mmCIF file of all heavy atoms in Angstrom:
data_model
loop_
_atom_site.group_PDB
_atom_site.id
_atom_site.type_symbol
_atom_site.label_atom_id
_atom_site.label_comp_id
_atom_site.label_asym_id
_atom_site.label_seq_id
_atom_site.Cartn_x
_atom_site.Cartn_y
_atom_site.Cartn_z
ATOM 1 N N GLU A 459 -1.076 4.337 27.371
ATOM 2 C CA GLU A 459 0.272 4.838 27.070
ATOM 3 C C GLU A 459 0.364 5.363 25.643
ATOM 4 O O GLU A 459 0.982 6.396 25.383
ATOM 5 C CB GLU A 459 1.297 3.730 27.282
ATOM 6 C CG GLU A 459 1.512 3.359 28.718
ATOM 7 C CD GLU A 459 2.412 2.139 28.861
ATOM 8 O OE1 GLU A 459 3.009 1.712 27.845
ATOM 9 O OE2 GLU A 459 2.509 1.622 29.975
ATOM 10 N N GLY A 460 -0.250 4.655 24.703
ATOM 11 C CA GLY A 460 -0.223 5.087 23.308
ATOM 12 C C GLY A 460 -0.955 6.396 23.086
ATOM 13 O O GLY A 460 -0.493 7.263 22.338
ATOM 14 N N TRP A 461 -2.120 6.559 23.728
ATOM 15 C CA TRP A 461 -2.874 7.800 23.611
ATOM 16 C C TRP A 461 -2.087 8.966 24.202
ATOM 17 O O TRP A 461 -2.021 10.046 23.622
ATOM 18 C CB TRP A 461 -4.228 7.630 24.286
ATOM 19 C CG TRP A 461 -5.086 8.854 24.316
ATOM 20 C CD1 TRP A 461 -5.550 9.477 25.421
ATOM 21 C CD2 TRP A 461 -5.596 9.598 23.205
ATOM 22 N NE1 TRP A 461 -6.323 10.555 25.068
ATOM 23 C CE2 TRP A 461 -6.365 10.662 23.719
ATOM 24 C CE3 TRP A 461 -5.470 9.472 21.830
ATOM 25 C CZ2 TRP A 461 -6.992 11.583 22.896
ATOM 26 C CZ3 TRP A 461 -6.113 10.400 21.012
ATOM 27 C CH2 TRP A 461 -6.855 11.433 21.551
ATOM 28 N N GLU A 462 -1.462 8.727 25.347
ATOM 29 C CA GLU A 462 -0.670 9.791 25.960
ATOM 30 C C GLU A 462 0.544 10.133 25.104
ATOM 31 O O GLU A 462 0.883 11.308 24.935
ATOM 32 C CB GLU A 462 -0.233 9.387 27.360
ATOM 33 C CG GLU A 462 0.449 10.505 28.097
ATOM 34 C CD GLU A 462 0.599 10.224 29.574
ATOM 35 O OE1 GLU A 462 0.193 9.154 30.041
ATOM 36 O OE2 GLU A 462 1.134 11.105 30.263
ATOM 37 N N ARG A 463 1.193 9.138 24.534
ATOM 38 C CA ARG A 463 2.349 9.372 23.663
ATOM 39 C C ARG A 463 1.915 10.157 22.424
ATOM 40 O O ARG A 463 2.613 11.062 21.971
ATOM 41 C CB ARG A 463 2.976 8.043 23.269
ATOM 42 C CG ARG A 463 4.314 8.158 22.619
ATOM 43 C CD ARG A 463 4.968 6.815 22.339
ATOM 44 N NE ARG A 463 4.537 5.761 23.238
ATOM 45 C CZ ARG A 463 3.816 4.692 22.892
ATOM 46 N NH1 ARG A 463 3.448 4.510 21.676
ATOM 47 N NH2 ARG A 463 3.453 3.780 23.750
ATOM 48 N N PHE A 464 0.754 9.818 21.864
ATOM 49 C CA PHE A 464 0.243 10.528 20.693
ATOM 50 C C PHE A 464 -0.061 11.984 21.018
ATOM 51 O O PHE A 464 0.302 12.889 20.269
ATOM 52 C CB PHE A 464 -1.016 9.825 20.184
ATOM 53 C CG PHE A 464 -1.737 10.581 19.108
ATOM 54 C CD1 PHE A 464 -1.220 10.655 17.828
ATOM 55 C CD2 PHE A 464 -2.933 11.223 19.376
ATOM 56 C CE1 PHE A 464 -1.884 11.352 16.840
ATOM 57 C CE2 PHE A 464 -3.602 11.927 18.397
ATOM 58 C CZ PHE A 464 -3.077 11.994 17.113
ATOM 59 N N VAL A 465 -0.718 12.210 22.151
ATOM 60 C CA VAL A 465 -1.122 13.575 22.508
ATOM 61 C C VAL A 465 0.080 14.421 22.884
ATOM 62 O O VAL A 465 0.214 15.557 22.449
ATOM 63 C CB VAL A 465 -2.153 13.546 23.661
ATOM 64 C CG1 VAL A 465 -2.370 14.933 24.237
ATOM 65 C CG2 VAL A 465 -3.453 12.968 23.167
ATOM 66 N N ARG A 466 0.963 13.893 23.666
ATOM 67 C CA ARG A 466 2.100 14.679 24.135
ATOM 68 C C ARG A 466 3.234 14.731 23.124
ATOM 69 O O ARG A 466 4.170 15.496 23.286
ATOM 70 C CB ARG A 466 2.600 14.136 25.461
ATOM 71 C CG ARG A 466 1.530 14.215 26.543
ATOM 72 C CD ARG A 466 2.097 13.995 27.906
ATOM 73 N NE ARG A 466 1.061 13.823 28.896
ATOM 74 C CZ ARG A 466 0.420 14.806 29.508
ATOM 75 N NH1 ARG A 466 0.706 16.052 29.204
ATOM 76 N NH2 ARG A 466 -0.503 14.559 30.410
ATOM 77 N N GLY A 467 3.138 13.961 22.053
ATOM 78 C CA GLY A 467 4.208 13.914 21.060
ATOM 79 C C GLY A 467 4.273 15.124 20.165
ATOM 80 O O GLY A 467 5.312 15.460 19.638
ATOM 81 N N SER A 468 3.168 15.812 19.975
ATOM 82 C CA SER A 468 3.168 16.955 19.085
ATOM 83 C C SER A 468 2.577 18.150 19.809
ATOM 84 O O SER A 468 1.688 18.016 20.646
ATOM 85 C CB SER A 468 2.391 16.598 17.825
ATOM 86 O OG SER A 468 1.411 17.501 17.545
ATOM 87 N N HIS A 471 -2.251 19.821 17.071
ATOM 88 C CA HIS A 471 -2.943 18.837 16.243
ATOM 89 C C HIS A 471 -3.876 19.564 15.299
ATOM 90 O O HIS A 471 -4.683 20.389 15.724
ATOM 91 C CB HIS A 471 -3.743 17.858 17.114
ATOM 92 C CG HIS A 471 -2.872 17.024 17.986
ATOM 93 N ND1 HIS A 471 -2.217 15.921 17.526
ATOM 94 C CD2 HIS A 471 -2.529 17.141 19.276
ATOM 95 C CE1 HIS A 471 -1.528 15.389 18.502
ATOM 96 N NE2 HIS A 471 -1.692 16.126 19.582
ATOM 97 N N PRO A 483 0.577 13.772 9.166
ATOM 98 C CA PRO A 483 0.767 12.331 9.317
ATOM 99 C C PRO A 483 0.534 11.832 10.734
ATOM 100 O O PRO A 483 0.332 10.644 10.943
ATOM 101 C CB PRO A 483 2.217 12.113 8.892
ATOM 102 C CG PRO A 483 2.868 13.433 8.996
ATOM 103 C CD PRO A 483 1.801 14.459 8.796
ATOM 104 N N CYS A 484 0.523 12.709 11.731
ATOM 105 C CA CYS A 484 0.304 12.250 13.102
ATOM 106 C C CYS A 484 -1.149 11.891 13.363
ATOM 107 O O CYS A 484 -1.472 11.297 14.379
ATOM 108 C CB CYS A 484 0.770 13.294 14.109
ATOM 109 S SG CYS A 484 -0.237 14.785 14.101
ATOM 110 N N CYS A 485 -2.055 12.246 12.462
ATOM 111 C CA CYS A 485 -3.484 12.004 12.665
ATOM 112 C C CYS A 485 -3.977 10.760 11.932
ATOM 113 O O CYS A 485 -5.152 10.668 11.594
ATOM 114 C CB CYS A 485 -4.281 13.219 12.207
ATOM 115 S SG CYS A 485 -3.931 14.674 13.197
ATOM 116 N N GLU A 486 -3.115 9.832 11.645
ATOM 117 C CA GLU A 486 -3.514 8.614 10.950
ATOM 118 C C GLU A 486 -4.453 7.798 11.819
ATOM 119 O O GLU A 486 -4.458 7.897 13.030
ATOM 120 C CB GLU A 486 -2.271 7.778 10.610
ATOM 121 C CG GLU A 486 -1.356 8.430 9.598
ATOM 122 C CD GLU A 486 -1.991 8.532 8.222
ATOM 123 O OE1 GLU A 486 -2.809 7.667 7.878
ATOM 124 O OE2 GLU A 486 -1.663 9.478 7.516
ATOM 125 N N ASP A 489 -3.049 5.536 14.762
ATOM 126 C CA ASP A 489 -2.690 6.190 16.013
ATOM 127 C C ASP A 489 -3.888 6.328 16.951
ATOM 128 O O ASP A 489 -3.720 6.475 18.151
ATOM 129 C CB ASP A 489 -2.117 7.581 15.746
ATOM 130 C CG ASP A 489 -0.792 7.528 15.026
ATOM 131 O OD1 ASP A 489 -0.113 6.487 15.146
ATOM 132 O OD2 ASP A 489 -0.444 8.498 14.342
ATOM 133 N N LEU A 490 -5.087 6.281 16.422
ATOM 134 C CA LEU A 490 -6.282 6.512 17.217
ATOM 135 C C LEU A 490 -6.959 5.214 17.656
ATOM 136 O O LEU A 490 -7.976 5.260 18.334
ATOM 137 C CB LEU A 490 -7.264 7.375 16.429
ATOM 138 C CG LEU A 490 -6.717 8.743 16.024
ATOM 139 C CD1 LEU A 490 -7.719 9.467 15.157
ATOM 140 C CD2 LEU A 490 -6.357 9.565 17.228
ATOM 141 N N TYR A 522 -5.160 17.264 24.964
ATOM 142 C CA TYR A 522 -5.484 17.164 23.539
ATOM 143 C C TYR A 522 -6.452 18.271 23.116
ATOM 144 O O TYR A 522 -6.260 18.915 22.092
ATOM 145 C CB TYR A 522 -6.080 15.791 23.249
ATOM 146 C CG TYR A 522 -6.403 15.545 21.797
ATOM 147 C CD1 TYR A 522 -5.395 15.352 20.861
ATOM 148 C CD2 TYR A 522 -7.712 15.501 21.363
ATOM 149 C CE1 TYR A 522 -5.685 15.121 19.538
ATOM 150 C CE2 TYR A 522 -8.015 15.269 20.039
ATOM 151 C CZ TYR A 522 -6.999 15.078 19.126
ATOM 152 O OH TYR A 522 -7.296 14.852 17.823
ATOM 153 N N ARG A 525 -4.868 21.620 22.674
ATOM 154 C CA ARG A 525 -3.941 21.761 21.558
ATOM 155 C C ARG A 525 -4.590 21.682 20.189
ATOM 156 O O ARG A 525 -3.927 21.883 19.188
ATOM 157 C CB ARG A 525 -2.879 20.663 21.631
ATOM 158 C CG ARG A 525 -1.958 20.803 22.782
ATOM 159 C CD ARG A 525 -0.944 19.708 22.761
ATOM 160 N NE ARG A 525 0.007 19.876 23.834
ATOM 161 C CZ ARG A 525 1.032 19.093 24.025
ATOM 162 N NH1 ARG A 525 1.241 18.083 23.229
ATOM 163 N NH2 ARG A 525 1.853 19.310 25.013
ATOM 164 N N TRP A 539 -12.565 12.550 19.136
ATOM 165 C CA TRP A 539 -11.126 12.751 18.970
ATOM 166 C C TRP A 539 -10.713 12.631 17.504
ATOM 167 O O TRP A 539 -9.667 13.114 17.128
ATOM 168 C CB TRP A 539 -10.343 11.760 19.832
ATOM 169 C CG TRP A 539 -10.653 10.354 19.498
ATOM 170 C CD1 TRP A 539 -10.008 9.568 18.601
ATOM 171 C CD2 TRP A 539 -11.696 9.561 20.037
ATOM 172 N NE1 TRP A 539 -10.601 8.331 18.547
ATOM 173 C CE2 TRP A 539 -11.639 8.308 19.419
ATOM 174 C CE3 TRP A 539 -12.681 9.786 20.992
ATOM 175 C CZ2 TRP A 539 -12.528 7.280 19.725
ATOM 176 C CZ3 TRP A 539 -13.553 8.755 21.287
ATOM 177 C CH2 TRP A 539 -13.474 7.531 20.656
#
Side-chain angles (χ1 to χ4, degrees):
E459 290 173 10
W461 177 240
E462 187 167 1
R463 192 175 333 113
F464 172 73
V465 168
R466 299 194 191 276
S468 127
H471 295 280
C484 68
C485 296
E486 293 293 330
D489 293 336
L490 301 175
Y522 182 72
R525 292 181 177 183
W539 59 91

